[in-house]
Amino acid sequence: MKPGGRALGIAESYRRDHSHDSTSDRDRSTLAGAVVRADCVVDGLAYEHCRVGGTDATDSVDSLLETVARPDVQYVLLGAIAPAWYNFFDLERIHEAAARPVIAVTFESSSGLESGLRDAFSGTELRQRLAVYRRLPSRTELTVNGETVYARYLGCDRDEAVSVLRAFTPDGGRPEPLRVARLAARAGDSYADTIGDE
């Protein structure tokens, strides 16, 4: 990976504010997109929101991709598959919209989400989420800087996914585009709190 190679990392932040009613903006999750070069230089930020417990997270990522619209971004990295309380990312749709490899990275072992989904949803809401979840690529355990991460990828093979994650992870196991995006999402979420208090 050349030092000028770029990836778009997308991560979320959500903190429930129980002082607001159920229709407030606090039922939204902040998504941040961070363009980061392989030499760890941040090269752009963009923001979107999705509804907590909704089904609009993929649309929000599509909007981020349109906002960034950078031909020099070679990869899209996602820091979750089910942000904002099971608001699933449809990786096939995101890969089609991005027209470049998409790698979703998580950092904890899991026995799967179907049990949690069945506890939280029923009827059409459950069927919609299960359909997206079951279409996801299989989860692969990888080692980055001696740490275990779990990746699903489209548009590249395992070797390329490993190479990309290692190239964008100077330390620890969290790729820099996702680390920066998570920080930016938290900052955006805190800013939304401040605006809401005015």
Side-chain angles (χ1 to χ4, degrees), residues 99-121:
R100 64 206 73 194
V102 173
I103 306 171
V105 187
T106 52
F107 304 95
E108 296 178 8
S109 61
S110 170
S111 59
L113 300 179
E114 286 208 21
S115 177
L117 277 171
R118 293 183 185 281
D119 288 343
F121 300 97

Side-chain angles (χ1 to χ4, degrees), residues 13 15 30 47 181-194:
S13 176
R15 290 173 301 182
T30 299
Y47 287 92
R182 186 172 66 162
L183 290 172
R186 287 177 175 173
D189 201 34
S190 296
Y191 179 72
D193 281 343
T194 303

Side-chain angles (χ1 to χ4, degrees), residues 10-69:
I10 298 174
E12 72 143 350
S13 176
Y14 171 72
R15 290 173 301 182
R16 185 70 180 256
D17 184 349
H18 294 287
S19 68
H20 290 72
D21 64 44
S22 61
T23 61
S24 76
D25 283 348
R26 303 311 304 133
D27 286 332
R28 297 191 310 170
S29 178
T30 299
L31 293 175
V35 177
V36 179
R37 294 188 340 204
D39 60 3
C40 298
V41 173
V42 178
D43 199 22
L45 292 172
Y47 287 92
E48 260 298 341
H49 294 91
C50 64
R51 191 164 57 86
V52 174
T55 57
D56 59 341
T58 299
D59 292 334
S60 296
V61 171
D62 288 349
S63 294
L64 278 174
L65 291 169
E66 289 178 11
T67 298
V68 173

Side-chain angles (χ1 to χ4, degrees), residues 126-139:
L126 175 61
R127 287 193 295 273
Q128 287 176 333
R129 287 164 177 81
L130 283 175
V132 176
Y133 179 55
R134 289 170 176 169
R135 283 200 307 271
L136 292 172
S138 60
R139 194 171 190 247

